[in-house]
Amino acid sequence: MSLKDTSKFLSLLLRHKPQLVGLELDEHGWADVNELIRRVSRRRPLDRTTLEQIVATDDKQRYSFSADGKLIRANQGHSIPVDVELSELEPPPILYHGTGERFAASIKIHGLLKKSRLYVHLSSDVDTATKVGRRHGTPKIFRVNSGKMFADGFKFFRSVNGVWLTEHVPVKYLEEF
Ligand code: HQG
């Protein structure tokens, strides 16, 4: 079992389905580290050192420990309603959204919808957006006029690992890239 596989399983538990191992998340998305290790290790090897290694080396910095190291949570990407205390900020004037080409026609009609997640995920650079888009097949990039959205009263948040989030991007703020 590679660290990457274990990390994917952690994402599933900490963002979407903690009930798979009977884990509970609090309202801020935190899970108890000992509890998580105990429950996950019934299925695959996991100890504190390995968990710390996964958190420290994760390519997208997906997880955080609480200051006392007793709790762990995913920084963003949830489908279950938790409040990870995102900071509400003024976004850069332009952000990007990477998606699959096959979704483009629908996006051009409905704008960007959050689908199963709590927010629409936006990237600050084209490279990152392209990687996100590749997860869905041939990538397609949209440029988001986030500066205009902000001026029009839309709220933006940035997760601690640098992902920009907003609830909906109407078509008029989107441009094909
Ligand atoms: C698409 C990964 C049709 C949207 C990434 C996306 C990200 C529409 C898909 C994070 C639509 C949902 C999130 C519309 C949006 N019609 N399709 N109107 N509006 N969509 O996976 O943004 O590796 O929930 O374009 O790096 O791809 O898991 O969202 O393609 O940061 O840590 O609906 O997940 O991070 O797909 O990815 P997702 P996403 P991790």
Side-chain angles (χ1 to χ4, degrees), residues 46-57:
L46 184 67
D47 56 21
R48 172 103 205 179
T49 310
T50 311
L51 184 63
E52 282 175 2
Q53 196 185 345
I54 289 172
V55 172
T57 61

Side-chain angles (χ1 to χ4, degrees), residues 15 60 62 97 99 106-107 111 113 117 121 132 135-136:
R15 289 169 167 177
K60 291 185 183 171
R62 291 176 176 87
H97 179 80
T99 185
S106 168
I107 289 171
L113 306 174
R117 305 198 194 237
H121 286 224
V132 175
R135 293 163 48 253
H136 302 286

Side-chain angles (χ1 to χ4, degrees), residues 6 9-10 13-14 21 23 31-52 65 69-70 72:
T6 303
F9 189 53
L10 289 179
L13 298 177
L14 295 175
V21 295
L23 188 69
D32 183 88
V33 171
N34 290 335
E35 188 74 19
L36 175 80
I37 291 171
R38 189 142 40 89
R39 289 177 179 275
V40 170
S41 54
R42 286 180 197 148
R43 302 221 183 173
R44 57 184 77 210
L46 184 67
D47 56 21
R48 172 103 205 179
T49 310
T50 311
L51 184 63
E52 282 175 2
F65 285 114
K70 290 184 177 159
I72 184 170

Side-chain angles (χ1 to χ4, degrees), residues 1 42 49 95 101 119 126 129 133 135 143 171 177:
M1 194 69 64
R42 286 180 197 148
T49 310
L95 287 167
E101 204 173 60
Y119 298 96
V126 177
R135 293 163 48 253
R143 191 171 17 210
V171 181
F177 181 72

Side-chain angles (χ1 to χ4, degrees), residues 11 15 60 62 76-77 97-100 103-104 106-117 119-123 128 131-133 135-136 163:
S11 275
R15 289 169 167 177
K60 291 185 183 171
R62 291 176 176 87
Q76 37 69 229
H97 179 80
T99 185
F103 298 140
S106 168
I107 289 171
K108 284 191 260 179
I109 296 169
H110 303 290
L112 291 173
L113 306 174
K114 54 194 179 177
K115 299 285 175 155
S116 64
R117 305 198 194 237
Y119 298 96
V120 172
H121 286 224
L122 303 171
S123 311
T128 308
K131 284 182 195 144
V132 175
R135 293 163 48 253
H136 302 286
V163 178

Side-chain angles (χ1 to χ4, degrees), residues 19-177:
Q19 71 274 14
L20 279 182
V21 295
L23 188 69
E24 278 185 33
L25 307 186
D26 74 8
E27 61 180 314
H28 298 297
W30 294 113
D32 183 88
V33 171
N34 290 335
E35 188 74 19
L36 175 80
I37 291 171
R38 189 142 40 89
R39 289 177 179 275
V40 170
S41 54
R42 286 180 197 148
R43 302 221 183 173
R44 57 184 77 210
L46 184 67
D47 56 21
R48 172 103 205 179
T49 310
T50 311
L51 184 63
E52 282 175 2
Q53 196 185 345
I54 289 172
V55 172
T57 61
D58 185 80
D59 59 343
K60 291 185 183 171
Q61 292 294 297
R62 291 176 176 87
Y63 318 103
S64 290
F65 285 114
S66 57
D68 64 7
K70 290 184 177 159
L71 307 173
I72 184 170
R73 73 180 170 192
N75 291 323
Q76 37 69 229
H78 299 79
S79 55
I80 45 178
V82 293
D83 169 14
V84 294
E85 301 146 303
L86 294 165
S87 30
E88 190 179 330
L89 290 173
E90 176 171 356
I94 298 293
L95 287 167
Y96 300 90
H97 179 80
T99 185
E101 204 173 60
R102 62 203 159 99
F103 298 140
S106 168
I107 289 171
K108 284 191 260 179
I109 296 169
H110 303 290
L112 291 173
L113 306 174
K114 54 194 179 177
K115 299 285 175 155
S116 64
R117 305 198 194 237
L118 300 180
Y119 298 96
V120 172
H121 286 224
L122 303 171
S123 311
S124 50
D125 62 274
V126 177
D127 262 18
T128 308
T130 306
K131 284 182 195 144
V132 175
R134 269 197 207 112
R135 293 163 48 253
H136 302 286
T138 306
K140 167 85 190 171
I141 310 297
F142 284 93
R143 191 171 17 210
V144 177
N145 194 343
S146 37
K148 178 81 170 88
M149 281 181 73
F150 186 73
D152 290 348
F154 286 81
K155 287 182 181 172
F156 283 82
F157 305 89
R158 193 175 59 196
S159 64
V160 296
N161 59 334
V163 178
W164 284 94
L165 304 162
T166 194
E167 296 231 354
H168 171 54
V169 181
V171 181
K172 68 171 179 174
Y173 301 104
L174 285 174
E175 228 181 282
E176 289 181 70
F177 181 72

